[in-house]
Amino acid sequence: TTPSYAWHLGETAKAEGIDPARDLAIRRIIVAGEPGGSIPGTRKAIEELWGAELFDFYGISDIYGACAGQCSRHEGLHLVEDQILLEVLDPSTGQPVADGSQGEMVLTTLQKRARPMIRFRTGDIITADRSPCACGRTHARISVVGRLDDMFIVSGVNVFPSDVESVIRQIPAFTGEYRIRLYDEDHLTRFDLEIEVEDGAGRSEPLVETVSNAIKSRLGLRPKRVTLVANGTLPRTTHKAKRVVDERPGVR
């Protein structure tokens, strides 16, 4: 399932009087479709909710279906390099980036005959690590940062929803649900944040300052406004979560 739906299922179970970690026999959860499975705070929250170990996978139907997955070390997703040639390129120049630097994942199939794909632009921004993993595998490991079309630019800084999520998930007072609102102000892109808080989380002013400072530390900029809302206010999803509402004129 997706990370957001794994969280939604666990919350729903608790609302029905079922403790997933205590009452269910789930040992492992496989997630895909969103970066959350590789965000430490998100993975930890889902694992604690379910009492299970979470593994992140990556798939793209144009290429190979499920073609990368985490091992027990949880240090990136091993790519099936015997089937796929990996390139990580600067999306603006098409030039390779160094290992550990962000770039667009470009894939070429090595075994397909009926429909080979040559230098297919996935639209996913990743980092790659080609060093051997402690598990013994030597295939390259990828970490998905986000979708190129989910990225927005504020004051010259590239921002992905996963950057914001990694901050929010580290603050226990929050449920982990959030929404980003993009808009234009004085011909510049600004963003506001809505964040759900746990019941009885305490005064809002210190929490707003805490999260605003944490985002500034990670991104180098702050949201224009942070609004804290009650648990259950923001919509849940049965598929991929939509975290960004873009209100800029002419942008869809």
Side-chain angles (χ1 to χ4, degrees):
T1 185
T2 61
S4 56
Y5 194 54
W7 181 258
H8 172 65
L9 284 176
E11 282 190 319
T12 302
K14 292 184 74 173
E16 295 292 330
I18 300 169
D19 184 341
R22 184 193 64 211
D23 301 331
L24 304 178
I26 305 299
R27 292 187 300 158
R28 297 182 183 90
I29 299 173
I30 294 174
V31 298
E34 298 171 348
S38 290
I39 297 173
T42 300
R43 186 177 75 238
K44 180 182 178 183
I46 296 173
E47 287 181 333
E48 290 179 348
L49 177 62
W50 284 90
E53 189 174 8
L54 184 142
F55 293 87
D56 196 13
F57 271 62
Y58 175 89
I60 180 165
S61 57
D62 305 84
I63 297 292
Y64 192 77
C67 56
Q70 280 183 342
C71 66
S72 59
R73 303 290 299 189
H74 299 287
E75 296 174 351
L77 286 69
H78 293 276
L79 184 73
V80 288
E81 287 192 286
D82 52 331
Q83 299 286 330
I84 298 169
L85 177 67
L86 169 68
E87 296 177 272
V88 186
L89 307 179
D90 183 323
S92 60
T93 66
Q95 296 301 307
V97 302
D99 279 6
S101 298
Q102 292 184 9
E104 183 179 4
M105 180 163 59
V106 176
L107 301 176
T108 296
T109 56
L110 301 177
Q111 301 290 339
K112 278 192 173 184
R113 295 186 178 186
R115 195 189 65 170
M117 302 295 283
I118 311 299
R119 305 196 83 189
F120 180 85
R121 293 188 62 174
T122 65
D124 290 315
I125 300 298
I126 70 162
T127 61
D129 184 350
R130 290 180 170 84
S131 65
C133 180
C135 75
R137 294 176 176 88
T138 57
H139 283 189
R141 287 166 287 155
I142 63 171
S143 295
V144 181
V145 177
R147 290 282 304 166
L148 191 59
D149 47 13
D150 285 340
M151 184 187 79
F152 56 95
I153 301 174
V154 179
S155 301
V157 177
N158 296 344
V159 182
F160 291 93
S162 58
D163 294 319
V164 176
E165 181 168 333
S166 65
V167 171
I168 291 173
R169 289 288 184 182
Q170 294 177 32
I171 301 175
F174 299 146
T175 67
E177 295 293 334
Y178 66 97
R179 183 162 55 191
I180 300 168
R181 186 169 70 89
L182 296 176
Y183 57 95
D184 284 343
E185 184 178 81
D186 299 327
H187 308 290
L188 297 172
T189 295
R190 308 291 189 193
F191 75 104
D192 293 347
L193 266 183
E194 292 177 281
I195 309 173
E196 274 191 5
V197 295
E198 295 281 6
D199 298 334
R203 295 173 56 235
S204 61
E205 293 85 357
L207 285 176
V208 168
E209 185 176 1
T210 295
V211 71
S212 183
N213 289 341
I215 290 174
K216 174 68 164 59
S217 177
R218 181 176 179 89
L219 299 177
L221 51 85
R222 300 177 188 273
K224 183 70 180 293
R225 282 176 289 268
V226 176
T227 303
L228 304 185
V229 298
N231 188 357
T233 302
L234 297 179
R236 271 46 172 178
T237 179
T238 58
H239 191 47
K240 296 183 180 181
K242 182 173 176 56
R243 302 293 191 186
V244 179
V245 177
D246 199 333
E247 299 175 351
R248 293 172 295 177
V251 178
R252 295 290 182 266

